[in-house]
Amino acid sequence: MFDLHRLRLLRELKHRGTLAAVAAALSYAPSSVSQQLSQLEAEVGVPLLEPVGRRVRLTAQAEILVAHTEAVLQRLERAEADIAASLTDLTGILRIASFQTAALALVPAALSLLRELHPRLRVHVTQMEPEKALPALQARDFDLVLAEEYPGNPNPRPPELQEEDLLDDPLHLALPEPAGASDADGPTAALRSLAGHPWVMEPEGTAARHWATTLCRNAGFEPDVRFETTDLLLHQRLVEHKHAAAFLPDLVWNGQPPTVTLRQLPRGRSTRRIFTVVRQGRSRHPAVLACRDALRRAVTLRPGQA
């Protein structure tokens, strides 16, 4: 029998990339992680790691072991969920990661519902963009992630993760000043009228930035991006002060009247999908089920949704 603790260290290395990252995440010394993996190699009888420059990567045999380890850990999470479901009171810790607009518009109401229904459940919330939160979910740093998907940019769907739709969030072109084009001229004309204006967008490498850049290019221009931030409230503020054009979702306003002029976007490109993601083994855990239910109720409780 292989040692499960050492198998988990090998799995952590696959998800975190370096021995130092594994050690930091688990509060071990890097030398201790290396020693444990060397012992696992001796147990298995084949090399599990090979050097690549100053780093290491998993061998094909190590990848096989990690796949089996994932299955074992998923089954153990299901056992934990079954035990929790057999209890009359929901306790323990639930770790959530959420991107900014969902954290502002949905999470507080969901937390209030959870506190009312399950006062002994301790909930930890971290604001984190999906690009970082989803790998952290796979590494078991979180139990549930609130994520977003932009039109034409589907997210990878690892088989060990399970998604559940929460809402569709309309996206709009936010004008820094009255534009020459109106809704009657069509969404592409309104977008093209801002070709020479500065823009605020999310950083390079994010799904939102790829979607926004593609939208502008399809309208016939390269956006002049002078401001980069994941903070959509700053996007809103820069538009209000006429420093930049932007693409803003409905959740920014959270049911309140918009403070800037908005225009429609081209059909098929005007809604982002918002959803929750959990690991398959934890999908039936009572804390996860309660959190998902609270988030669905928070969607219906938003201003203007009644």
Side-chain angles (χ1 to χ4, degrees):
M1 295 289 291
F2 301 141
D3 184 272
L4 181 58
H5 172 66
R6 293 170 188 151
L7 289 171
R8 293 186 72 164
L9 289 178
L10 185 65
R11 177 196 175 277
E12 290 288 330
L13 181 58
K14 175 178 173 62
H15 287 288
R16 300 189 189 274
T18 66
L19 293 171
V22 173
L26 302 179
S27 300
Y28 290 165
S31 59
S32 175
V33 175
S34 180
Q35 182 182 35
Q36 292 289 317
L37 292 176
S38 295
Q39 291 176 351
L40 180 61
E41 280 191 329
E43 289 177 3
V44 178
V46 297
L48 299 177
L49 305 176
E50 53 189 13
V52 180
R54 296 183 178 181
R55 305 177 65 169
V56 295
R57 69 182 175 195
L58 275 62
T59 63
Q61 292 71 35
E63 294 283 359
I64 292 172
L65 270 182
V66 167
H68 284 285
T69 302
E70 295 281 11
V72 171
L73 294 178
Q74 184 179 115
R75 190 58 185 257
L76 289 175
E77 282 198 312
R78 288 177 178 170
E80 182 185 351
D82 288 344
I83 291 172
S86 72
L87 303 175
T88 57
D89 198 7
L90 188 53
T91 62
I93 298 175
L94 180 69
R95 302 161 301 167
I96 300 171
S98 174
F99 61 98
Q100 184 197 43
T101 45
L104 288 170
L106 303 176
V107 170
L111 290 175
S112 296
L113 291 166
L114 287 171
R115 181 178 59 192
E116 177 184 348
L117 296 172
H118 308 289
R120 296 185 62 195
L121 178 64
R122 183 183 178 94
V123 183
H124 292 185
V125 179
T126 301
Q127 182 181 318
M128 185 179 291
E129 296 304 307
E131 287 83 2
K132 294 183 178 179
L134 290 173
L137 176 68
Q138 290 180 280
R140 284 175 164 73
D141 291 340
F142 299 108
D143 301 303
L144 181 144
V145 168
L146 273 159
E148 59 183 349
E149 184 175 274
Y150 279 80
N153 291 273
N155 294 320
R157 288 175 167 79
E160 65 269 23
L161 299 184
Q162 187 253 342
E163 300 177 0
E164 183 176 285
D165 287 339
L166 193 58
L167 76 154
D168 290 330
D169 189 23
L171 297 156
H172 307 279
L173 173 63
L175 307 182
E177 55 193 19
S182 67
D183 277 340
D185 299 315
T188 301
L191 183 54
R192 193 177 295 124
S193 71
L194 293 168
H197 205 283
W199 285 80
V200 55
M201 291 185 180
E202 296 201 32
E204 289 280 3
T206 61
R209 176 62 172 270
H210 182 266
W211 164 80
T213 303
T214 301
L215 202 57
C216 293
R217 288 172 179 168
N218 288 343
F221 68 95
E222 188 71 22
D224 177 13
V225 182
R226 300 191 194 179
F227 310 99
E228 292 185 320
T229 175
T230 58
D231 186 346
L232 293 190
L233 296 182
L234 180 54
H235 288 218
Q236 173 190 339
R237 191 70 66 198
L238 289 170
V239 177
E240 289 172 347
H241 287 265
K242 299 179 173 52
H243 292 300
F247 298 109
L248 293 176
D250 267 7
L251 277 189
V252 167
W253 316 111
N254 196 24
Q256 301 303 312
T259 56
V260 299
T261 301
L262 302 179
R263 289 285 184 267
Q264 294 180 353
L265 293 176
R267 184 175 299 178
R269 294 282 178 171
S270 59
T271 303
R272 67 173 176 170
R273 171 179 169 247
I274 295 178
F275 55 101
T276 58
V277 192
V278 301
R279 293 183 299 279
Q280 286 281 3
R282 205 161 181 82
S283 62
R284 303 306 299 172
H285 193 286
V288 169
L289 294 175
C291 182
R292 281 180 155 173
D293 181 64
L295 286 166
R296 287 192 296 270
R297 292 176 62 187
V299 170
T300 65
L301 292 173
R302 289 186 302 144
Q305 299 301 304

